[in-house]
Amino acid sequence: MSNLLIGSVLAAAYIVIFWLLGAILPDRFHSQSIPVMCITGFLLYFSLFQVIALPMKIFKQPLSYLTMAWFGLLILLVFYVILKRRRPLIDSLKNLFPSIPKLLLVFWVMILALAVALLLGFNTNTISDYDACYYIGLPVSSVYSNTLELLSPYTGLLLEEPQHFYLLNTDTLNSAVIYQALNIHPLLERKYSFTIAMVLIFEMGLYLCGKHFFQKENSEKDLRMSGFQKTAVFCLLSNLVLLYAYSIAGVSHYFAYRTYEGKAITSYLYMTLIFCFCLALYQKEDTAKTSQDDLWPWAGLFLCGVSGVAFCNTALFVVPAMMGITLLPYIISKGLLHKHWKVLLRFILVLFPCLIWIALYKLL
């Protein structure tokens, strides 16, 4: 029972940290929205962690150095937000419940998200014993040896170098840092706390997709509630499709049975977030918003490119491919045909981190 309490607190702490980190960016990047801030904070969290952890991993520094550096940075960032960025946090809480009818809909969407998160958090059948040994065993062996993945969890032997295939992946180091600093075992952190946190971020992404799909209904006074109702139904149906349209080689399998794994996060979470960011860009064109309003999706796409490879090498290919395919009509119509070169520059910029990771993977 105590483990469940600790795991639940850690899952809530993940969401709060993401929310706080999302407030670091200027207001134009999050519009005082809790889902937007949490998603941005999640991407910023693992972007910063990737930038700090990867060099330490390459140069074979002790795990304790990474733990001190990461928690030191988090403490500084949290203090900065509390001291300098309290206003966006307060405004985001006010914007969460602007009206009683919407309050009821938001409440039911939150209940749905929490129910799905708990369902998957309590799921003990992952159908992936080998991968589970990797995601649980590697952080444990790193803490035991105080190294950055230089002790094989399968043989117990010290390695001269980290495994090259997993060199760019650092999400397991996050579990090791949590274990070393807070003494929360990766079995609890990965399979329960981290699973719940990732599902909640995914549900926020679905909610934002629904809001963008039905933006016009939300903007018209007489149909204001119908847009929110459609968003709620959209979230419900999307979850039902994932939970009942099962395919052992598809996204539904990773979402339901391997929620915390890198390939799963890349497939169900990053693809949804990238689609959400691109949808925001297209919706911005339809509603003729100012140019500042499209900075959040561009920033989100950039952070996806930076942080995606932290979870899985699959992100080396599918993240830039998803960005390119989804944005291609926008780039052609907005950038090339109308000669808005700023759009092309932003497109190149969001793909630049992906090119860096591919080059590093080939060179290292």
Side-chain angles (χ1 to χ4, degrees):
M1 187 66 184
S2 61
N3 284 336
L4 285 179
L5 179 60
I6 293 172
S8 300
V9 171
L10 180 58
Y14 267 129
I15 298 300
V16 171
I17 289 294
F18 297 157
W19 176 50
L20 293 174
L21 291 182
I24 291 177
L25 299 179
D27 294 349
R28 69 186 68 174
F29 289 99
H30 49 70
S31 304
Q32 291 83 42
S33 166
I34 286 182
V36 171
M37 292 169 71
C38 287
I39 288 172
T40 306
F42 158 73
L43 295 173
L44 184 60
Y45 179 101
F46 282 100
S47 295
L48 292 174
F49 189 82
Q50 175 74 358
V51 171
I52 293 174
L54 183 59
M56 289 189 175
K57 184 177 181 180
I58 293 173
F59 292 105
K60 296 180 283 188
Q61 298 299 303
L63 174 65
S64 56
Y65 287 9
L66 176 59
T67 301
M68 290 186 292
W70 182 241
F71 271 86
L73 177 62
L74 279 183
I75 291 172
L76 290 176
L77 292 176
V78 169
F79 271 110
Y80 171 76
V81 171
I82 293 174
L83 293 175
K84 300 292 186 179
R85 299 289 294 167
R86 293 191 301 273
R87 177 52 55 187
L89 299 177
I90 296 172
D91 289 341
S92 67
L93 292 174
K94 292 179 179 178
N95 292 335
L96 185 61
F97 308 117
S99 63
I100 296 301
K102 187 184 176 183
L103 171 61
L104 296 175
L105 286 172
V106 171
F107 173 77
W108 286 115
V109 171
M110 291 171 62
I111 292 297
L112 169 66
L114 186 60
V116 175
L118 289 174
L119 173 66
L120 299 183
F122 281 105
N123 179 29
T124 58
N125 184 8
T126 61
I127 320 180
S128 176
D129 292 337
Y130 183 86
D131 283 350
C133 290
Y134 169 79
Y135 282 101
I136 307 303
L138 199 55
V140 172
S141 64
S142 295
V143 173
Y144 176 80
S145 60
N146 194 31
T147 64
L148 299 182
E149 301 181 353
L150 288 177
L151 182 69
S152 172
Y154 304 111
T155 64
L157 299 177
L158 282 172
L159 306 173
E160 293 184 2
E161 302 284 344
Q163 294 186 58
H164 180 266
F165 185 78
Y166 301 110
L167 183 62
L168 298 181
N169 310 145
T170 59
D171 69 314
T172 47
L173 289 177
N174 180 68
S175 298
V177 165
I178 297 294
Y179 187 23
Q180 187 174 66
L182 305 178
N183 197 31
I184 299 178
H185 197 281
L187 188 63
L188 176 64
E189 186 267 336
R190 295 294 298 194
K191 289 199 170 186
Y192 183 75
S193 305
F194 196 67
T195 292
I196 290 176
M198 292 302 96
V199 173
L200 291 177
I201 294 296
F202 168 73
E203 297 294 339
M204 292 179 191
L206 278 185
Y207 176 75
L208 291 178
C209 285
K211 285 189 66 176
H212 288 302
F213 273 130
F214 309 114
Q215 182 70 28
K216 290 182 179 180
E217 286 88 338
N218 290 337
S219 62
E220 297 177 11
K221 244 182 184 179
D222 56 330
L223 294 176
R224 183 175 298 168
M225 287 313 302
S226 68
F228 294 131
Q229 290 170 351
K230 290 178 181 179
T231 300
V233 173
F234 171 81
C235 293
L236 174 62
L237 293 179
S238 298
N239 280 282
L240 290 176
V241 168
L242 274 175
L243 293 176
Y244 288 96
Y246 177 78
S247 169
I248 196 168
V251 176
S252 57
H253 168 77
Y254 284 107
F255 179 71
Y257 290 99
R258 305 167 71 171
T259 319
Y260 64 90
E261 295 184 9
K263 292 185 292 294
I265 293 170
T266 301
S267 62
Y268 74 80
L269 183 55
Y270 270 80
M271 298 300 100
T272 301
L273 296 183
I274 291 172
F275 179 74
C276 179
F277 296 138
C278 296
L279 192 61
L281 288 174
Y282 285 110
Q283 182 266 326
K284 172 255 176 187
E285 291 301 313
D286 289 340
T287 55
K289 292 185 178 180
T290 62
S291 60
Q292 287 186 343
D293 293 318
D294 66 357
L295 290 179
W296 171 67
W298 285 114
L301 290 171
F302 177 80
L303 292 175
C304 282
V306 176
S307 62
V309 73
F311 294 97
C312 181
N313 286 340
T314 305
L316 284 171
F317 311 103
V318 299
V319 167
M322 179 71 174
M323 291 180 186
I325 293 171
T326 313
L327 283 179
L328 185 60
Y330 181 81
I331 298 303
I332 293 176
S333 61
K334 182 72 173 177
L336 295 178
L337 296 182
H338 291 85
K339 298 182 179 179
H340 289 175
W341 308 122
K342 185 185 293 186
V343 172
L344 294 176
L345 181 61
R346 290 177 179 177
F347 180 64
I348 294 172
L349 184 61
V350 299
L351 291 178
F352 185 71
C354 304
L355 299 177
I356 294 294
W357 297 136
I358 292 174
L360 280 177
Y361 184 78
K362 293 294 183 181
L363 293 174
L364 294 176

